[in-house]
Amino acid sequence: MSAVEFRTFDAPLAWLTVYQLPPYAPDLNPVKGIWSVLRRTTTANRAFADPPDLINAVRRGLHQLQYRHNVLDGCLTGTRLVPTPEGCHSQSPRSPTIRQ
């Protein structure tokens, strides 16, 4: 669908909000940072016997990362996303905000 076709499709839908995003922006994706950490730690310098072995290693690495809040916050900060003052690790979850 071209941009012109999309604009004509989008025009009559008042309830729909459309945000223009860059076509490819890895610097805005915190998951890229997490994969980078996994590649440098859990899966680094290792040959996997089969796909389940790789899957188990990635799961183990993600399990370890969930307790390293400073690393996860670093992945967010690299994208200009920062946890709100209540923190993304509090009991009342809130979405991170984008720092301008």
Side-chain angles (χ1 to χ4, degrees), residues 7-82:
R7 280 190 210 103
T8 58
F9 170 77
D10 179 45
L13 302 176
W15 55 269
L16 180 65
T17 303
V18 177
Y19 294 97
Q20 291 290 61
L21 297 175
Y24 179 70
D27 53 324
L28 299 176
N29 187 352
V31 174
K32 295 285 187 179
I34 292 170
W35 279 116
S36 175
V37 170
L38 288 176
R39 281 194 309 268
R40 287 181 280 128
T41 56
T42 306
T43 63
N45 299 319
R46 182 167 172 202
F48 298 98
D50 52 15
D53 188 28
L54 171 63
I55 291 168
N56 288 333
V58 170
R59 284 184 179 161
R60 187 171 45 256
L62 289 172
H63 182 73
Q64 292 169 352
L65 271 179
Q66 78 181 12
Y67 299 107
R68 298 181 62 198
H69 299 283
N70 59 334
V71 174
L72 297 176
D73 288 344
C75 293
L76 282 174
T77 303
T79 63
R80 295 184 301 136
L81 293 171
V82 292

